[in-house]
Amino acid sequence: MRRFFRNPVRLVPFAFLVPILLGTGLLMARWATADHERPPFVTALFTATSAVSVTGLAITDTPNYWSGWGLLVITLLTQLGGLGILTVAALAILVVSSQLGLRNRLLVQAETAEFGIGDVGRLLRRIAVTVFACEAVMTALISGRLWLAYDYSPGRALWSGVFHAVQGFNNGGFALYSDGLLAFSRDPWVSLPLAVGAIIGGLGFPALFEAVREWRQPAHWAVATKLTIWGSAVLLLIGFAGLLAAEWTNASTIGQYDVPGKMLASFTQIALSRTGGFSVLDIAALQEESYPLLIVLMFIGGGSASTAGGIKVSTFFLLAFTLWAELRGEPDVTVGHRRVATASQRQAVTVALLSVALVTLGTMTLLLLTEGVRFVAALFEITSAFSTTGLSTGLASELPAGGQLTLTVLMFIGRVGTLTLGSAIALNTRRRLYRYPQEQPIVG
């Protein structure tokens, strides 16, 4: 046991598990529900995991099932998960561990958005200031709109603004309305702050900080920043155009909106579908061709070291550049006149293949546990859980306990990260001191 915990990376899953169990206990209290009845254990565990993993997937009618205290617990768990339990755990490991190897330091660095091995205090301050500043602006805009245009009392408007700002920036997705944010699909003063907040929160702090610092010279950005910023822009544009075209005549979504309304609702939904989790459209009423688009966007997710999930934008586009180099017969993979290390390519392949395997296994498990479920619906829910997005066709609340526990496990794994979890499980981390003779097998 002592040998197991000697590797700091193995402590990362426990850093998430502790607040999940604590949140589960709090949500099982009578005062956490609106009717003052103890919720089932699976319901409390699912909701706590969804909050800490900043997923926002719900199996209850959130505003009516949970009391004000329960909603406050969900808000605090979401903020805790968004600020990065992983960051806190990794920094604690750096302090108490005097024999931290370079490999483990680099793994911790990749997960905590740390630019260097040291100077963690400055990093934490910058992250905290960025998070709370963005949430304050979002709160002001949303609260002011609800107070002035929707006749909310100042207190109710402020609470709604704070709740949705925390959920939006942290890519949570819990809402104080039973139908999500459908009522605000054409209100830019509510939907756009949430969309922009989710985009910023989903970029990742390394990319965000460098882009702001070097905004005049994007050519000087690091490869990871270029992949994240420009990749996110490309995904937003493709997703916006695709959803707009697919739903243009769908009367159940945007078919009856005017052109500006169609464009606003489509952009907001795409921005929130890449791990934001809010729904400004009825997800269950989308056209069939919209589901593959959203599934792909959810699976890719946001930026590394961000509040977003998925395999990450940089991973996806690094694989794309690797494929392009291989098709052209190039000896190296280059991005922006920079050669990408082979280790990074292998890491991207590992993350992608592990993620595909987990989503496939999760979908098969859900289909086995639940009768009469469509494959697309099962794949959508599993991808949403694994990518910590939180969008749902309504299937999650109808699943048996086994299906809901399957989604719970996928949310946990999706937040911890396939590569980190794999490193935590692997017992043998020693460096091999020899290499075997090389062969080149036939591929294809």
Side-chain angles (χ1 to χ4, degrees), residues 26-39 67:
L26 292 174
L27 291 177
M28 289 190 68
R30 295 183 184 276
W31 49 261
T33 60
D35 58 6
H36 301 292
E37 296 289 336
R38 292 187 185 277
S67 66

Side-chain angles (χ1 to χ4, degrees), residues 107 110 315 342-352 419:
L107 281 172
T315 301
T342 303
S344 296
Q345 300 173 43
R346 292 174 57 184
Q347 188 179 48
V349 172
T350 301
V351 169
L419 187 62

Side-chain angles (χ1 to χ4, degrees), residues 218-281:
H220 294 173
W221 291 350
V223 169
T225 301
K226 292 178 180 178
L227 291 174
T228 300
I229 300 295
W230 300 124
S232 296
V234 169
L235 291 176
L236 280 172
L237 181 60
I238 293 176
F240 166 67
L243 188 66
L244 188 65
E247 300 296 325
W248 188 270
T249 59
N250 186 357
S252 298
T253 54
I254 64 173
Q256 297 181 0
Y257 294 178
D258 57 12
V259 174
K262 293 177 190 287
M263 298 182 69
L264 175 62
S266 297
F267 172 79
T268 304
Q269 188 60 74
I270 287 299
L272 296 172
S273 295
R274 294 183 51 237
T275 70
F278 286 120
S279 56
V280 297
L281 301 176

Side-chain angles (χ1 to χ4, degrees), residues 17-331:
L17 191 59
V18 170
I20 286 175
L21 295 178
L22 178 62
T24 301
L26 292 174
L27 291 177
M28 289 190 68
R30 295 183 184 276
W31 49 261
T33 60
D35 58 6
H36 301 292
E37 296 289 336
R38 292 187 185 277
F41 171 75
V42 173
T43 299
L45 176 64
F46 186 100
T47 304
T49 304
S50 183
V52 173
S53 64
V54 291
T55 302
L57 195 60
I59 56 176
T60 61
D61 184 1
T62 300
N64 296 316
Y65 186 87
W66 302 105
S67 66
W69 288 108
L71 293 173
L72 179 61
V73 170
I74 292 174
T75 303
L76 294 176
L77 291 176
T78 303
Q79 185 72 84
L80 186 62
L83 283 174
I85 303 167
L86 184 56
T87 301
V88 176
L91 296 179
I93 291 166
L94 288 173
V95 172
V96 302
S97 177
S98 60
Q99 295 181 345
L100 190 62
L102 179 60
R103 182 186 178 196
N104 289 330
R105 284 176 179 264
L106 294 177
L107 281 172
V108 168
Q109 176 182 334
E111 290 295 336
T112 59
E114 192 180 354
F115 294 107
I117 300 299
D119 199 15
V120 294
R122 181 174 63 90
L123 171 69
L124 286 179
R125 287 193 295 271
R126 293 180 67 184
I127 290 176
V129 169
T130 301
V131 170
F132 291 120
C134 289
E135 290 178 353
V137 173
M138 294 168 64
T139 297
L141 292 173
I142 297 172
S143 299
R145 181 62 172 176
L146 294 177
W147 176 39
L148 297 174
Y150 292 89
D151 295 327
Y152 279 38
S153 65
R156 184 187 176 193
L158 180 61
W159 163 239
S160 184
V162 170
F163 184 90
H164 291 102
V166 170
Q167 297 295 327
F169 184 84
N170 292 292
N171 284 257
F174 285 101
L176 293 179
Y177 308 95
S178 300
D179 58 354
L181 299 179
L182 268 66
F184 307 104
S185 61
R186 288 180 287 178
D187 189 338
W189 290 99
V190 175
S191 60
L192 283 183
L194 292 174
V196 174
I199 292 172
I200 295 175
L203 287 177
F205 295 113
L208 180 63
F209 291 158
E210 183 176 19
V212 171
R213 185 177 65 250
E214 303 289 344
W215 68 273
R216 294 178 181 273
Q217 298 177 312
H220 294 173
W221 291 350
V223 169
T225 301
K226 292 178 180 178
L227 291 174
T228 300
I229 300 295
W230 300 124
S232 296
V234 169
L235 291 176
L236 280 172
L237 181 60
I238 293 176
F240 166 67
L243 188 66
L244 188 65
E247 300 296 325
W248 188 270
T249 59
N250 186 357
S252 298
T253 54
I254 64 173
Q256 297 181 0
Y257 294 178
D258 57 12
V259 174
K262 293 177 190 287
M263 298 182 69
L264 175 62
S266 297
F267 172 79
T268 304
Q269 188 60 74
I270 287 299
L272 296 172
S273 295
R274 294 183 51 237
T275 70
F278 286 120
S279 56
V280 297
L281 301 176
D282 186 355
I283 302 300
L286 294 174
Q287 301 281 22
E288 287 295 322
E289 55 267 30
S290 295
Y291 292 114
L293 174 66
L294 295 183
I295 288 172
V296 170
L297 290 176
M298 289 191 298
F299 184 76
I300 296 173
S304 299
S306 73
T307 57
I311 65 171
K312 303 301 188 280
V313 177
S314 56
T315 301
F316 175 77
F317 281 97
L318 178 54
L319 290 173
F321 276 100
T322 302
L323 175 62
W324 180 245
E326 190 63 29
L327 292 175
R328 298 183 62 186
E330 297 286 347

